[in-house]
Each structure stands twice: as structure tokens, then as C-alpha cells.
Amino acid sequence: MKLAVVSAGLSSPSSTRLLADRLTAATLARLDAEPETVELRELATEIAQHLVTGFPPARLAAALDTVAAADGLIAVTPVFAASYSGLFKSFFDLIDKDALTGTPVLLGATGGTARHSLVTEHAMRPLFTHLRALVLPTAVYAASQDWGEQGLAQRITRAGTELARSMHPATPDTAPDTDTAAAAIAPRSVTGAITSADPAHGHRPVPFEQRLAALRAG
């Protein structure tokens, strides 16, 4: 099973690459997969060449093939002008329109302030929905003040767990560390609604009609 990781950070070291690495680690904690990271800043010249010539140089062609062949994708970008970076968008403009169809994608972004925290929703999610990827519910945005905070670590764990489950849905015989998984993702009722009671521990949701009848009787 192959996991592609695309990081669009421009500096070295990069907070974008750091977030990509942590999301990768959280995913691999629950999934036996072979990760391969594509560092876009190393391909900036090749991306520009491909955009104007229509022919990808060898390194870029290999990176595009890595993403297209992956069973799951982690895509992380820094925020520029309240959206993803131009380098990030240019790379995914070169991806074949059908290459990511049905591929689980975990979104991540980094920025200087929390004001850009919705970039994953108003910019990144529509992009990958257009590519017909399976965009996971939890996206992770990390502002400068988030690093070292427990909240960021929890979001990373939740997102990595979602990606691992999407790439390899767990079965009763193969599900790893189910207690920790339940802590990372809130249990759901049989209707799909989030509930604080885990059915695996003997709790069963009470049907709404039964609750309503009890209120009427009272």
C-alpha cells in the first residue's frame, strides 16, 4: 500500500513539511504503508517548464506518477493571500483529471495566524472535490501559535486515523488498538450521529420515539 505526501513549503526547515511529517506519522501509526514525500520546492523549475512546454521533466514525471499511483494522499500547503500557494496549485493543475478519483486525501495547511484556518475548507476542499478525490472530514490547519499545543496533536491524530481507516478499513480481526482509535474518533450511533456512548462497550442508543413517549408519559 502506497502513501503519497505532497509538501509545498518554500523554506528549509519548513513548518509545512513538519506538519506533513506529523500527519504521515499519525497515519503510519495505524497503517502498514510505504510513504513517499514529494517536496514541491525542489520541483519548482520543472513545474514551470511543464506548464509552458506541456512536457514534464523526468523528476516531475516521477512525482506525478507517485501521486497518481498512491492509495492515499496527504497534501499540505502554506497559506498565501488567504489560499493555497501558487506552487501547490500549479502542481495539482498538472495531475491527470482522473488520477485522484476515489483516492482518500488528507488536507493540511500552515499559516501565521488563526485567521486563515478555513483555507482548508474554502480553497483546498473544493480543489480536490473537483478532482473527484475522497476528501476526509478532518483537515488540519496549524497557525504559528498552535505548535506545541495539545489541540493540534489531537487533530493530527484524528486526521491520521481517518486516513488510515479510509485506505484500509478495519475489520474485527485486524483493527489495531481499538481503544485508542475510539479516543481519536468519537463513536457513532447506528444512524451515523456522533454519540458519547460507544456501542462496543455495551451501550445502545435509545430510539427517539421511545424518548418522546417517555416525555409524554411524564
Side-chain angles (χ1 to χ4, degrees):
M1 191 166 291
K2 297 180 180 179
L3 173 64
V5 184
V6 174
S7 171
L10 297 180
S11 60
S12 182
S14 162
S15 61
T16 301
R17 176 60 187 269
L18 178 59
L19 178 58
D21 289 344
R22 292 195 177 180
L23 291 171
T24 302
T27 303
L28 296 180
R30 305 199 165 280
L31 181 72
D32 184 12
E34 179 183 347
E36 185 168 350
T37 300
V38 176
E39 191 72 68
L40 294 188
R41 74 182 187 89
E42 299 175 355
L43 299 170
T45 300
E46 286 92 334
I47 291 172
Q49 289 175 350
H50 189 4
L51 287 171
V52 298
T53 66
F55 297 98
R59 285 202 311 166
L60 177 58
L64 294 170
D65 288 344
T66 293
V67 173
D71 300 294
L73 171 65
I74 296 173
V76 188
T77 179
V79 175
F80 285 97
S83 187
Y84 38 62
S85 71
L87 182 61
F88 183 87
K89 179 61 162 60
S90 295
F91 177 78
F92 284 101
D93 280 346
L94 300 176
I95 293 285
D96 183 271
K97 63 181 180 65
D98 297 319
L100 293 180
T101 299
T103 301
V105 178
L106 168 53
L107 304 179
T110 58
T113 73
R115 291 178 298 180
H116 298 302
S117 59
L118 290 179
V119 67
T120 56
E121 306 307 314
H122 70 67
M124 298 180 74
R125 193 175 295 274
L127 170 63
F128 287 95
T129 298
H130 172 73
L131 293 172
R132 297 192 292 275
L134 178 62
V135 187
L136 298 178
T138 301
V140 180
Y141 175 81
S144 298
Q145 64 266 31
D146 290 332
W147 295 102
E149 296 293 330
Q150 185 63 26
L152 177 59
Q154 291 173 343
R155 294 198 302 276
I156 289 173
T157 298
R158 174 185 289 268
T161 302
E162 288 179 357
L163 180 56
R165 287 183 172 183
S166 297
M167 292 176 64
H168 186 223
T171 64
D173 294 332
T174 61
D177 196 7
T178 54
D179 288 340
T180 305
I185 298 180
R188 293 179 179 268
S189 70
V190 293
T191 63
I194 295 178
T195 174
S196 59
D198 189 346
H201 294 163
H203 302 287
R204 293 292 181 270
V206 178
F208 176 74
E209 294 82 0
Q210 183 176 335
R211 291 176 180 267
L212 187 59
L215 288 174
R216 288 173 176 170

